[in-house]
Amino acid sequence: MIVAERKLFDDLYAKASKHKKVLLLGCGTCVTVCMAGGEKEVDILDSQLKLASRERGDDFEVTTHTIVRQCDDEFFDEETSRKIAAADAVITLACGVGVQFCSEKYPEKRVYAGVNTVFYGATVEQGLWEERCAGCGECIVDQFAGICPVARCAKSLMNGPCGGSSNGKCEVDKETDCAWALIVKRMKELGTLEELSEITLPKDWSTSRDGGPRRIVHESLRLDEGTKKEG
Amino acid sequence: MKNEPTIIAFCCHYCAFTAADLAGTMRKQYPTNIRIVRIPCTGKVSENMVLQAFVEGADGVMVAGCEIGSCHFIQGNVRAVKRVAHAKKLLEETGVNPDRLEFYHVAASQGPLFATTSAEFTERIKQLNAGGKASADTTSAETPQETVHDSSRT
């Protein structure tokens, strides 16, 4: 999932207080799971803005709404559109995708990002999320016993570990596991360590970010021009 | 600010709520400012429950749960201590003095403690309403420094 964390309250307050009516728009998917921008977090920010505006003597109205996903057209239903139309500005607590999608759908509305989108990751334990994927466009995880050196090695080394690996930890941060130490350990357990004796060639990064924003097209799923939904 | 503060006390059914009942049975008086909300466990308390109480006009919020190791649901009070610590940070961000919120451990048998704790907390809130600084409260639970994410960790 996409993992995010809420922006600093003062930043959000500064944005909200510029308007008379502000809608806090939550997203019920990834940011709900990572406790950054779901219904609960929307309610917390709502309460905080109300308390702070009372303390600081500002006068603006805050309303809340959370939809299942902000990266899919179908969830921006009539109720959502009505609430967005009634507000002067929207602070969306969705990831960067949701913020952009909401802006595209409501071009006349000022849309602010309420969270910082940080990485694609997993819930390692309750309250702890870690990066697991870099979205490089060509998955090579199976070559490395299910541990991604692109996302989890600080240098994204294809042939590691480097000299900075010490007792299974990375020199960048003593709390961070060395991805290559994990790869070697796991491949030993699987009895496939021999495979590492072959040099992995430099990765083809053309599938990654170097060509600008990427697209995936499923022609079989696309609608004919005549059946596309308006707006 | 008004002279008589409104204080919401989220009390665990298994300990602090029973202690409040016992205080009454023992004829121990505690301030009428305290409005008790009975909850099944302090583990039910979320950050926004506390913030919402302030939004609705509370001057102070106390969360009272079992002593560590005595939770009927094993970990509820431990989680509540962390959430209250997080809620204090959220309050501070808004400009509300975090001393207006406190967690207390009160066992079911401690009726007198509930009464004195309530009186002390009420006095603290009165001082804050009068523009003063809250005095150190030795009966409050130690609240660990938490990050936002740590509040949801077990």
Side-chain angles (χ1 to χ4, degrees):
Chain A
M1 71 179 151
I2 292 176
V3 181
E5 60 185 355
R6 206 188 77 178
K7 282 181 177 285
L8 294 176
F9 177 73
D10 283 344
D11 290 351
L12 297 176
Y13 187 86
K15 287 164 184 167
S17 59
K18 280 195 264 182
H19 302 276
K20 283 278 167 214
K21 284 173 104 176
V22 180
L23 173 70
L24 306 180
L25 187 61
C27 180
T29 310
C30 309
V31 289
T32 290
V33 180
C34 67
M35 315 286 281
E39 199 170 0
K40 270 187 174 181
E41 292 71 36
V42 163
D43 285 345
I44 286 174
L45 182 58
D46 174 43
S47 297
Q48 277 194 295
L49 288 171
K50 282 172 178 161
L51 286 172
S53 62
R54 194 192 294 164
E55 288 289 318
R56 301 174 197 188
D58 291 328
D59 182 27
F60 58 90
E61 189 187 321
V62 185
T63 53
T64 63
H65 187 56
T66 299
I67 61 176
V68 177
R69 266 204 296 283
Q70 288 192 32
C71 54
D72 258 322
D73 186 59
E74 63 191 281
F75 297 109
F76 286 91
D77 56 7
E78 267 186 48
E79 186 191 359
T80 308
S81 296
R82 200 171 57 246
K83 287 184 174 176
I84 289 174
D88 299 325
V90 179
I91 296 179
T92 155
L93 273 73
C95 69
V97 181
V99 179
Q100 291 183 61
F101 204 67
C102 184
S103 301
E104 285 168 32
K105 279 199 65 66
Y106 305 94
E108 74 289 352
K109 201 60 65 181
R110 188 72 199 258
V111 179
Y112 296 104
V115 303
N116 292 319
T117 306
V118 189
F119 53 76
Y120 310 135
T123 310
V124 178
E125 61 179 71
Q126 190 172 311
L128 177 64
W129 293 270
E130 281 183 3
E131 187 165 16
R132 287 287 185 273
C133 177
C136 69
E138 188 200 11
C139 193
I140 51 167
V141 163
D142 57 339
Q143 291 174 44
F144 303 103
I147 294 153
C148 179
V150 178
R152 298 177 68 180
C153 168
K155 296 174 178 170
S156 296
L157 287 181
M158 291 295 105
N159 298 279
C162 70
S165 177
S166 173
N167 297 321
K169 297 293 176 187
C170 177
E171 66 180 336
V172 169
D173 174 10
K174 287 190 173 67
E175 293 290 305
T176 304
D177 288 328
C178 166
W180 273 96
L182 295 176
I183 291 169
V184 169
K185 180 172 177 280
R186 179 106 174 93
M187 289 183 84
K188 266 185 194 166
E189 287 166 0
L190 291 172
T192 57
L193 193 61
E194 269 302 295
E195 292 175 19
L196 284 186
S197 58
E198 291 203 15
I199 300 293
T200 306
L201 295 175
K203 187 170 160 48
D204 175 8
W205 291 103
S206 66
T207 56
S208 189
R209 285 281 304 142
D210 72 18
R214 293 164 281 181
R215 294 180 91 198
I216 293 174
V217 182
H218 277 248
E219 284 300 345
S220 63
L221 295 173
R222 300 190 84 185
L223 299 175
D224 297 331
E225 279 303 318
T227 54
K228 273 187 188 169
K229 215 168 91 179
E230 287 298 316
Chain B
M1 276 280 188
K2 58 202 171 192
N3 290 329
E4 286 305 326
T6 303
I7 295 169
I8 303 298
F10 291 109
C11 294
C12 163
H13 164 80
Y14 291 94
C15 54
F17 184 80
T18 309
D21 201 19
L22 181 62
T25 309
M26 294 173 73
R27 302 286 189 266
K28 298 284 181 190
Q29 293 207 342
Y30 61 88
T32 53
N33 308 74
I34 305 281
R35 314 285 163 84
I36 294 178
V37 178
R38 180 167 65 160
I39 49 176
C41 171
T42 48
K44 175 77 184 90
V45 174
S46 66
E47 286 89 336
N48 199 45
M49 262 174 86
V50 171
L51 296 180
Q52 193 62 32
F54 284 104
V55 171
E56 304 269 334
D59 297 290
V61 174
M62 55 186 274
V63 180
C66 305
E67 293 171 311
I68 297 296
S70 308
C71 176
H72 191 77
F73 301 98
I74 304 169
Q75 289 264 327
N77 52 353
V78 177
R79 291 185 175 134
V81 167
K82 288 185 170 192
R83 288 182 197 148
V84 166
H86 183 209
K88 274 173 171 275
K89 285 188 175 178
L90 295 170
L91 279 177
E92 198 165 15
E93 286 176 349
T94 68
V96 174
N97 191 327
D99 288 338
R100 291 182 179 276
L101 168 66
E102 206 59 74
F103 189 97
Y104 295 97
H105 296 288
V106 184
S109 58
Q110 293 177 309
L113 178 64
F114 182 86
T116 54
T117 300
S118 301
E120 282 170 16
F121 187 68
T122 306
E123 194 49 45
R124 180 203 289 196
I125 300 301
K126 281 182 177 173
Q127 277 182 30
L128 288 170
N129 280 4
K133 222 179 151 186
S135 55
D137 190 337
T138 50
T139 58
S140 66
E142 281 193 17
T143 47
Q145 293 293 309
E146 294 297 332
T147 65
V148 172
H149 287 176
D150 275 354
S151 66
S152 61
R153 297 183 79 176
T154 48

